[in-house]
Amino acid sequence: MRQRPLPHTAYGNLPSELGGFVGRGVELAELERLLESSRLVTVTGVGGVGKSRLVLAAARAAAERAQERYCDGMWLAELATVRDPALLELALAEAFGLTDHTTRPPRTVLAEHLADRRLLLVLDGFEQLVEEAAELVRELLRRSPGLRVLAAGRRPLALDGELAFPLAPPVPEEALALLAARVSAADPSFAVTDANRAPLVELCARLDGIPLALELAAGRLRTLCPDQVLARLEDRFALLTGGARGVLPRHRALRTAIGWSHELCTAAERLLWARLSVFAGQFDLDAAEYVCAGPALPVEEVLDLVGELLAQSLLVKEETPAGVRYRMLETVRVYGAGWLESSGDAARLRRRHRDWYMGLATWCELEWFSPRQEEVAALVEAELPNLRLALECCLDEPDEVHLGLYLAGTLWFYWAGCGRLTEGRHWLDRALEASDRAAAGYEDSRLKALWVLGYVAALQGDAVASMRALYECRDGAAESGNPLAAAYAVHRLGCLALVSDDMARAGELLGSALQRYRAAGELNSNVLMCQVELAMALAFQGDPAGARTLCEEVRQICEERGERWTKAYALYVLAYGALDAGDTQEARRLLTECVAINHAFHDLVGLVLALELLALVTVVEGDPVEAAVLQGAAEPMWGGVGLQLFGSGYFTAPRLMCQERAGEVLGAERYAAHAAEGREMSREALVARAQRGAAPGGETRKPAAPRRGRRASTSL
């Protein structure tokens, strides 16, 4: 039976409510009732009516009131920035924090993950992919009996068993309370009084109580009195609705509110609004200045104009691990995009956007080999929706496919180093397929995409696809006279031999690649990783001294350059050697740092390798219970990496020895029970536990070393 979280420890990825949730008590109660009777409830309504905030509030309430039903948490998947149907399943996997390095379809990964879990999935912003979203939700609900879905969209998913909940604007009292709360947040002195109540109530009525419209009006109430806002709004009604009187249709009321805000903006503010609509999701000030500045909008004015749009609630400011970023609400963005299209400037702005993110990716690749490595990882994570948009822009135009090849290849460090192999494979396959149909030329970009694809496929355990890409890269490099591309191809062929247990060939290829890199003057994370992989081949063949020398050199260079990702792999090999020498204290120290680095970069391959070895260190130290827990916790991760331990006898050795030694002391039944305890741990809890240090007591014994030149079985 699966161990459940303790009461009041509901978890997931729901964001906190920053602005305060006002009213909607009746709707929340009704949603709770509907979720009792259906596994799929969809809140529908016009854009800006408050669907997203309502479903999030309902999910938070469910986390408190229905903990047993949703004991595996509440999870939000925001899909508004996903435009490519092929990325829909990846977006859901990302929402659940799933890292999968295999070639399995993400839908299969999702279904397996959800199969025996009891949780609530909040699905928001699926309108542009409604058919694909409906098909995916249908399959997940069918295969996951403990799953319930609470969706928010402008239309239902139209699935059997779905309960649609049309959301109307708040009642007048709640609309007034919401308007007052939003104004008070910026101006604490504001209050509803007898003097201003009537125009405020009239303002709410004119805007049909639509929350987004009220948010926009609140921005104006910071500088105008209610009578002034109402007077200006009445003028805009006549202008924008052809003089229609009476209650306005809700779609028209929302468009009127946004249009009214648009009309009240200065010409420069309107221009920036339209140009900012080319971004997907968040963006930073540097990107806004580069993309949006130009004719009629000097770069030095962008900062002040961003501030004005923030003051009018047309932009939202957010603090993220990548720094201060801005976001435009989707309804507001779509309105601006319409103006951009009508101006005839949309194509130019999309190219500017693409160029910025091409440059950003280039900078990030260079800075990956620097002390800013973690900053780069956080930045690319934050910019992923925009990078996807840039890739789409390149690959949709036959004359610009070479740019897509370049961008997909340049992001190798993110695909391989930050747990994004599946998405990287998607873009690399697509770019290379498109380049087959495009005009010849740009061979260097194609060669880079090929070796990156070979690298990604090798890490996924897809040896056939990896060899095909790497041999094509090697042959193409020889034909075009590109020695650096040839070095990368040879390197990755050596990596493939390493995970295939062909240590002699791995050593030969990796050594040749290092010589080629040095001849070309190349030094970066890839070159250092080649040296670490060569050290692994030496260690597995019984040459720990040679392996240690290579990895100490890598560690020194990494510390000088501030590189941490490759350093983690060097620490793994050094820990392997320390354990072989009987120094468990040093092995634990090295592995503790290794685990922390790999977890920070979401590198599942490096993390699970380190945990497997740490479990063996723990049992050698004399704590078989903790070793069994760590080993059990590491086991599920291999489902995301691929064939367990790459199918390698050498990489399997720590795991098998840990099981053997801990099982001898605990017995099969106790070992299985403690391993099962580990399998229930979250990754964060596991990493924290792994870093707590050695458990007390026990005899320290040096594990037997593998015989030189042959596959290890149950010994290191």
Side-chain angles (χ1 to χ4, degrees):
M1 181 175 178
R2 298 183 69 242
Q3 180 180 341
R4 297 298 181 185
L6 295 174
H8 65 267
T9 60
Y11 60 97
N13 68 340
L14 298 185
S16 58
E17 175 59 67
L18 298 179
F21 191 74
V22 179
R24 296 294 199 184
V26 173
E27 291 87 345
L28 283 172
E30 179 63 9
L31 271 186
E32 185 176 356
R33 186 189 68 79
L34 293 176
L35 281 170
E36 290 279 346
S37 57
S38 176
R39 294 175 58 212
L40 173 59
V41 178
T42 303
V43 177
T44 62
V46 62
V49 80
K51 302 182 295 296
S52 298
R53 277 190 162 174
L54 179 65
V55 296
L56 288 173
R60 294 187 193 102
E64 297 296 327
R65 299 174 187 167
Q67 293 171 357
E68 179 60 27
R69 173 177 297 161
Y70 305 121
C71 56
D72 288 304
M74 316 296 191
W75 302 87
L76 169 65
E78 294 183 292
L79 305 177
T81 63
V82 180
R83 304 177 188 184
D84 183 349
L87 298 179
L88 175 63
E89 297 160 8
L90 279 173
L92 259 67
E94 178 184 339
F96 286 115
L98 299 179
T99 302
D100 187 76
H101 290 347
T102 73
T103 57
R104 296 180 299 170
R107 182 171 303 205
T108 301
V109 176
L110 278 168
E112 290 180 1
H113 175 75
L114 297 175
D116 64 343
R117 284 176 166 80
R118 297 162 63 183
L119 54 83
L120 179 67
L121 169 61
V122 180
L123 206 62
D124 191 18
F126 58 82
E127 290 89 350
Q128 73 283 8
L129 298 170
V130 64
E131 292 183 5
E132 294 84 358
E135 180 187 353
L136 179 56
V137 169
R138 179 191 296 111
E139 181 172 348
L140 293 180
L141 287 171
R142 179 178 61 83
R143 298 178 61 178
S144 312
L147 171 67
R148 290 179 184 245
V149 178
L150 178 58
R154 300 193 185 189
R155 53 177 291 186
L157 289 165
L159 296 177
D160 292 340
E162 177 184 26
L163 294 181
F165 180 66
L167 181 63
V171 297
E173 294 80 4
E174 287 187 352
L176 179 59
L178 175 61
L179 178 63
R182 296 298 180 254
V183 180
S184 298
D187 180 8
S189 66
F190 177 85
V192 178
T193 65
D194 290 341
N196 65 19
R197 177 179 295 274
L200 288 173
V201 169
E202 177 67 12
L203 179 59
C204 291
R206 288 284 189 175
L207 296 176
D208 243 10
I210 295 174
L212 176 57
L214 297 176
E215 298 264 3
L216 298 174
R220 291 297 170 187
L221 284 168
R222 296 165 190 169
T223 54
L224 301 173
C225 74
D227 284 317
Q228 289 174 310
V229 173
L230 186 60
R232 289 167 180 256
L233 183 60
E234 286 177 340
D235 291 342
R236 299 307 167 197
F237 272 155
L239 174 65
L240 296 173
T241 65
R245 307 298 298 172
V247 178
L248 296 170
R250 285 170 186 155
H251 281 81
R252 184 173 295 175
L254 176 63
R255 185 168 181 81
T256 297
I258 298 176
W260 167 65
S261 292
H262 190 264
E263 288 292 315
L264 290 179
C265 287
T266 65
E269 291 165 1
R270 289 196 295 268
L271 184 57
L272 180 60
W273 178 351
R275 291 180 177 179
L276 288 174
S277 70
V278 299
F279 289 98
Q282 300 174 340
F283 56 89
D284 63 14
L285 181 61
D286 289 340
E289 288 177 335
Y290 177 87
V291 174
C292 300
L297 191 60
V299 66
E300 60 271 14
E301 294 183 10
V302 172
L303 174 58
D304 289 339
L305 292 172
V306 165
E308 290 300 320
L309 295 180
L310 282 169
Q312 298 171 58
S313 300
L314 294 165
L315 283 180
V316 178
K317 178 182 175 183
E318 297 179 342
E319 297 283 348
T320 76
V324 173
R325 304 182 67 75
Y326 306 96
R327 177 175 55 85
M328 189 173 282
L329 296 176
E330 184 64 11
T331 306
V332 175
R333 189 198 68 78
V334 169
Y335 189 93
W339 279 91
L340 186 63
E341 288 289 345
S342 66
S343 72
D345 204 23
R348 185 185 70 85
L349 264 293
R350 281 193 286 268
R351 289 193 298 271
R352 294 276 294 178
H353 175 277
R354 177 208 63 203
D355 292 346
W356 171 261
Y357 286 100
M358 293 276 292
L360 180 73
T362 301
W363 179 86
C364 286
E365 183 187 29
L366 293 172
E367 292 301 310
W368 181 255
F369 188 51
S370 81
R372 287 178 286 277
Q373 202 169 49
E374 287 189 70
E375 175 189 336
V376 166
L379 179 59
V380 177
E381 186 76 17
E383 294 287 13
L384 186 56
N386 284 302
L387 288 165
R388 287 168 173 167
L389 196 60
L391 283 160
E392 289 281 0
C393 181
C394 296
L395 299 179
D396 284 345
E397 297 293 333
D399 293 340
E400 297 184 349
V401 167
H402 64 283
L403 297 176
L405 280 170
Y406 173 84
L407 184 52
T410 297
L411 290 169
W412 68 265
F413 62 91
Y414 186 61
W415 311 138
C418 300
R420 292 284 186 172
L421 293 180
T422 305
E423 178 156 359
R425 181 76 180 268
H426 165 79
W427 290 114
L428 290 160
D429 281 338
R430 185 173 163 189
L432 286 163
E433 181 183 356
S435 72
D436 288 338
R437 300 190 302 266
Y442 306 102
E443 187 65 16
D444 289 349
S445 292
R446 180 173 175 81
L447 292 174
K448 184 170 186 176
L450 282 168
W451 74 251
V452 175
L453 174 60
Y455 183 22
V456 167
L459 292 177
Q460 289 184 305
D462 189 350
V464 173
S466 178
M467 284 191 289
R468 183 188 306 119
L470 293 173
Y471 282 135
E472 183 180 348
C473 178
R474 187 194 62 182
D475 295 344
E479 187 176 323
S480 63
N482 187 330
L484 196 53
Y488 279 101
V490 171
H491 172 189
R492 294 311 168 190
L493 285 168
C495 177
L496 187 60
L498 181 71
V499 299
S500 303
D501 276 358
D502 189 349
M503 294 303 155
R505 178 165 171 75
E508 177 186 345
L509 290 169
L510 293 167
S512 173
L514 273 180
Q515 292 176 353
R516 292 167 185 259
Y517 284 140
R518 288 164 183 161
E522 187 85 338
L523 180 62
N524 56 30
S525 298
N526 275 304
V527 176
L528 294 180
M529 187 64 80
C530 182
Q531 189 160 326
V532 172
E533 289 160 351
L534 178 58
M536 288 181 179
L538 294 178
F540 288 145
Q541 293 180 90
D543 183 7
R548 183 170 57 254
T549 299
L550 288 172
C551 285
E552 287 290 4
E553 182 181 353
V554 169
R555 177 162 67 170
Q556 181 180 350
I557 295 172
C558 286
E559 289 173 352
E560 290 172 353
R561 298 296 187 107
E563 211 279 3
R564 300 184 70 224
W565 175 64
T566 308
K567 178 185 175 182
Y569 284 88
L571 295 177
Y572 168 79
V573 180
L574 290 170
Y576 183 104
L579 179 58
D580 184 61
D583 190 349
T584 57
Q585 184 176 0
E586 175 68 1
R588 175 173 291 278
R589 186 186 68 79
L590 293 165
L591 288 169
T592 299
E593 184 179 358
C594 182
V595 165
I597 295 172
N598 285 318
H599 181 60
F601 285 109
H602 308 290
D603 185 346
L604 198 57
V605 173
L607 179 60
V608 71
L609 285 173
L611 287 168
E612 294 275 355
L613 191 55
L614 184 60
L616 178 57
V617 170
T618 303
V619 75
V620 171
E621 288 174 329
D623 190 349
V625 170
E626 183 68 8
V629 172
L630 291 175
Q631 184 63 63
E635 286 175 10
M637 293 187 193
W638 284 109
V641 171
L643 183 63
Q644 193 169 56
L645 302 164
F646 309 112
S648 163
Y650 291 99
F651 285 103
T652 304
R655 172 176 174 265
L656 295 179
M657 177 173 277
C658 178
Q659 288 179 333
E660 181 182 278
R661 291 195 174 185
E664 286 176 356
V665 178
L666 299 175
E669 186 174 341
R670 285 185 64 202
Y671 178 89
H674 291 300
E677 176 189 345
R679 283 192 290 272
E680 293 296 329
M681 295 174 64
S682 69
R683 193 171 302 165
E684 289 72 20
L686 168 61
V687 169
R689 184 163 181 160
Q691 294 180 295
R692 282 206 293 262
E699 176 189 0
T700 298
R701 292 183 292 146
K702 175 181 175 180
R707 297 180 185 174
R708 177 183 292 272
R710 81 170 187 83
R711 178 180 301 194
S713 55
T714 59
S715 65
L716 277 176

